[in-house]
Amino acid sequence: MADFSLPKDSYFLGFDSSTQSLKATVLDSNLNFVTSELVQFDTSLAHYKTKDGVYRDASIDGRVVSPTLMWVEALDLVLDKLSKSHLDFGKITAVSGSGQQHGSVYWKNGSSSILSSLDSKVPLVDQLNDAFSVKESPVWMDSSTTAQCKELENAVGGALQLSQLTGSRAYERFTGPQIKKIFETHPEVYNNTERISLVSSFLASLLIGGYAYIDETDGAGMNLMDIKKRIWSKVLLEATAPGLEDKLGKLAPAHAVAGHIALYFVERYKFNKDCLVIQWSGDNPNSLAGLTLSTPGDLALSLGTSDTVFGITDDPHPGMEGHVFPNPVDTKSYMVMLCYKNGSLTREDIRNRYCGSSWDKFNDYLTYAKPLNAGKMGFYYKEHEILPPLPVGIHRYILENFTGDTLEGVTVREVEPHFEPVFDEARAVVEGQFMSMRGHAERFGMPSPPERIIATGGASVNRSFLYIAACVFGCEVYTVHRADSASLGAALRAAHGWLCSTKGTFVPFLCLYEKKSGNTSLKCKLEAVSDKNLVKKYALMVKKRLEIENRLVEKLGRM
């Protein structure tokens, strides 16, 4: 019988470089939690003057970026915190990580020599101060590339053809349109760029002291990769910018070894020189790994800065909405996902406006307003939304004569400036998001109802949210022991990559943890059970919501 055990007394380190923070999670050889540290960008690195980890450009509609050097400085800072917690870096056998998807970093010509000769006595930020041709990295919240999206879709015959080729139609936040925009608006900057990294491969590059490959899973979020062949699409590269393939480098499977840890980290933090760096991947794929999502009937809800719904399938059918990525922990299956830009920050905005900036009051208001919210339905877009493609704005409606049993005789009335009583706003923003998720998940071919939902992300600690999700989707909702599934998933992937490397072949992810199912870092806990009487009533509201949404898209849609 094959031995899939991990080295005794070894540690596995996983990072998550998200929109607002950099987190590190350490697991031991039994996959038990050891320690974690967090760097919040706005507070721990306040001199960059970001808000929610980004800059919103008032002069260019939809332009949202983050200072690249902030991410560099955060890496040293989180490692310093781990060092002060007396973590024995010498025990770390492998490292991997998670990066916010779609964000891109532009290395200036000649920067590879800086990267390969880092001085351990000098902080990274001081050595890489002049290493980037673009100082502010476009991130997933950016929506300024509408024209470039249409051009990439036209290059392959249309939006559906692009989706069938790459796994997604063109989206403004995707890296291909972002690169195209930089080439078209600042060709001199593009020509002074020798390598373009994703956030994931960028941080992996820092760790190995050289340019890391882009992994196939995160590479699928660029509108540039052939999803079936897992190679760059020549047609799309040529339609984006000249000489792009050389600047992107090669693709690699997510379980592959990116390299050994760079001497900088060996000398500065006392890592073992044999420590492996496993390919980094995107945050949502790492969450899939962290939730050990392996059953096609299950869905995951990630409730964070963005909200996502995702699952796995062996038979993907890319369409006009949603995304298909290669599964980061299985070489044959795929990850299917829906993404909403208006997540926690939008809920916080409603909390601040109507609930005295108090989550306790927000949760009280959720209970004051009854399920179905007396037919009140809100569409809340603090940022330009991805799904549906609608601009900033709030739209409120009441389904008059709605009893929950039929849509016959129901009329729709628009409401301004807010619902009365105002505590209905709290339920409207939460219920509305989950109804949208259910409607689009069904339209995308995801299981309905799911076997179960596993919830993660910062807002998954709110049991009131989870009960509403259970009633809308019609299934039980679980959480994992730790809400930070992306950094947990990265640590698990570090262990999995080490295992694959040691065995010299791909090892099924299940072999890593199947004998550790009672382990506290992986165990699921039942949080909410649906009220069966409400499920069919929500189904009617979902149907009506999609009708209203379609009309809004026809009138205001951005794509």
Side-chain angles (χ1 to χ4, degrees):
M1 187 173 177
D3 178 15
F4 296 115
S5 60
L6 301 170
K8 189 178 179 183
D9 295 328
S10 60
Y11 289 162
F12 297 90
L13 171 59
F15 292 99
D16 175 32
S17 181
S18 67
T19 314
Q20 301 187 61
S21 64
L22 176 63
K23 181 156 195 175
T25 296
V26 182
L27 302 180
D28 67 14
S29 57
N30 291 313
L31 307 183
N32 287 308
F33 174 79
V34 176
T35 189
S36 67
E37 291 292 348
L38 177 71
V39 171
Q40 286 282 1
F41 298 145
D42 287 3
T43 52
S44 300
L45 294 165
H47 49 283
Y48 288 99
K49 299 180 180 178
T50 57
K51 186 177 188 308
D52 308 318
V54 300
Y55 300 141
R56 293 170 175 84
D57 191 335
S59 65
I60 301 175
D61 184 42
R63 181 175 182 266
V64 184
V65 295
S66 289
T68 310
L69 282 173
M70 180 177 72
W71 298 335
V72 174
E73 192 169 352
L75 180 59
D76 263 336
L77 188 53
V78 80
L79 290 172
D80 286 339
K81 285 188 161 193
L82 286 171
S83 182
K84 288 173 184 174
S85 74
H86 305 295
L87 176 69
D88 184 350
F89 286 92
K91 287 186 175 183
I92 298 174
T93 298
V95 180
S96 190
S98 151
Q100 55 170 297
Q101 289 192 263
H102 319 300
S104 46
V105 174
Y106 300 79
W107 296 88
K108 187 185 292 186
N109 288 338
S111 292
S112 60
S113 60
I114 302 173
L115 195 54
S116 63
S117 57
L118 296 170
D119 182 349
S120 63
K121 298 183 184 65
V122 182
L124 288 172
V125 69
D126 294 336
Q127 299 182 73
L128 295 170
N129 186 54
D130 196 37
F132 308 109
S133 53
V134 176
K135 304 293 186 185
E136 297 174 346
S137 290
V139 297
W140 67 273
M141 296 172 76
D142 187 281
S143 56
S144 65
T145 61
T146 309
Q148 288 77 18
C149 286
K150 290 176 180 174
E151 290 170 16
L152 285 182
E153 289 178 344
N154 291 339
V156 293
L160 181 59
Q161 288 84 347
L162 183 64
S163 182
Q164 291 169 340
L165 176 61
T166 69
S168 303
R169 65 170 299 173
Y171 284 92
E172 294 157 319
R173 71 191 190 280
F174 273 42
T175 326
Q178 294 290 340
I179 294 170
K180 184 172 176 62
K181 178 186 166 189
I182 286 175
F183 167 67
E184 290 176 349
T185 58
H186 301 286
E188 73 289 351
V189 170
Y190 179 82
N191 292 331
N192 193 30
T193 300
E194 69 179 17
R195 176 59 65 107
I196 300 172
S197 298
L198 297 182
V199 176
S200 55
S201 62
F202 162 65
L203 284 153
S205 299
L206 296 182
L207 288 174
I208 66 173
Y211 292 141
Y213 296 159
I214 291 171
D215 88 284
E216 294 166 350
T217 301
D218 215 10
M222 301 174 73
N223 283 140
L224 297 175
M225 189 187 86
D226 184 317
I227 191 80
K228 293 177 181 175
K229 297 179 180 177
R230 304 192 184 192
I231 59 174
W232 299 123
S233 163
K234 299 285 187 184
V235 172
L236 289 167
L237 292 181
E238 290 172 4
T240 301
L244 182 54
E245 187 167 8
D246 288 341
K247 295 181 191 293
L248 292 176
K250 296 179 180 179
L251 289 157
H255 66 272
V257 175
H260 284 87
I261 195 87
L263 188 61
Y264 174 89
F265 301 96
V266 174
E267 294 179 349
R268 191 174 179 93
Y269 298 103
K270 310 307 178 192
F271 275 86
N272 188 308
K273 63 180 177 58
D274 295 323
C275 175
L276 295 181
V277 178
I278 305 303
Q279 287 287 148
W280 284 44
S281 192
D283 50 1
N284 292 300
N286 274 281
S287 285
L288 181 144
L291 298 174
T292 61
L293 199 69
S294 57
T295 305
D298 291 347
L299 285 183
L301 292 185
S302 179
L303 305 174
T305 308
S306 64
D307 286 346
T308 56
V309 188
F310 55 87
I312 57 172
T313 182
D314 294 325
D315 184 27
H317 297 281
M320 290 295 285
E321 61 184 34
H323 313 292
V324 176
F325 306 127
N327 187 332
V329 291
D330 182 62
T331 56
K332 295 178 181 177
S333 64
Y334 293 83
M335 173 181 181
V336 288
M337 187 178 84
L338 303 172
C339 184
Y340 293 80
K341 189 184 292 187
N342 287 274
S344 290
L345 297 179
T346 299
R347 287 186 286 272
E348 287 172 13
D349 184 53
I350 297 303
R351 177 203 66 185
N352 296 343
R353 290 192 197 192
Y354 302 108
C355 310
S357 300
S358 165
W359 280 121
D360 288 338
K361 189 174 286 188
F362 187 100
N363 289 332
D364 287 343
Y365 285 3
L366 282 179
T367 59
Y368 295 165
K370 301 303 180 188
L372 308 174
N373 214 10
K376 293 168 183 169
M377 187 182 296
F379 297 73
Y380 297 87
Y381 305 126
K382 186 174 183 288
E383 307 280 352
H384 293 324
E385 186 50 89
I386 297 161
L387 185 65
L390 287 171
V392 171
I394 297 178
H395 312 276
R396 298 176 178 88
Y397 302 90
I398 295 180
L399 306 187
E400 297 190 312
N401 307 316
F402 179 67
T403 62
D405 300 317
T406 179
L407 290 177
E408 288 185 19
V410 172
T411 57
V412 178
R413 176 168 62 88
E414 190 163 4
V415 176
E416 290 183 353
H418 53 71
F419 289 126
E420 291 287 355
V422 293
F423 55 67
D424 289 345
E425 295 284 340
R427 179 167 282 274
V429 72
V430 176
E431 249 183 13
Q433 186 79 315
F434 289 138
M435 286 193 288
S436 178
M437 287 175 172
R438 175 179 166 176
H440 286 283
E442 289 175 349
R443 205 152 77 179
F444 193 39
M446 291 179 172
S448 178
E451 291 292 327
R452 63 174 179 167
I453 283 172
I454 307 175
T456 184
S460 67
V461 300
N462 191 316
R463 296 189 71 179
S464 298
F465 289 10
L466 302 186
Y467 175 68
I468 294 172
C471 293
V472 171
F473 280 90
C475 65
E476 295 177 340
V477 177
Y478 292 76
T479 58
V480 287
H481 180 67
R482 302 191 61 79
D484 48 342
S485 58
S487 61
L488 173 63
L492 291 172
R493 288 186 47 256
H496 180 239
W498 179 89
L499 204 54
C500 294
S501 175
T502 301
K503 297 297 181 183
T505 186
F506 178 80
V507 174
F509 193 53
L510 183 66
C511 296
L512 177 68
Y513 62 84
E514 64 178 338
K515 293 183 179 179
K516 304 179 176 73
S517 58
N519 187 281
T520 54
S521 67
L522 303 179
K523 189 165 58 177
C524 286
K525 177 185 176 185
L526 177 62
E527 295 284 2
V529 178
S530 67
D531 181 336
K532 299 300 180 187
N533 294 320
L534 290 173
V535 176
K536 290 183 179 179
K537 296 179 179 182
Y538 274 119
L540 294 174
M541 285 196 80
V542 168
K543 181 179 180 181
K544 204 65 183 176
R545 183 181 180 89
L546 291 181
E547 290 176 8
I548 297 170
E549 180 186 289
N550 289 339
R551 290 198 294 270
L552 285 171
V553 171
E554 287 175 10
K555 181 180 178 182
L556 305 170
R558 296 182 300 103
M559 294 287 284

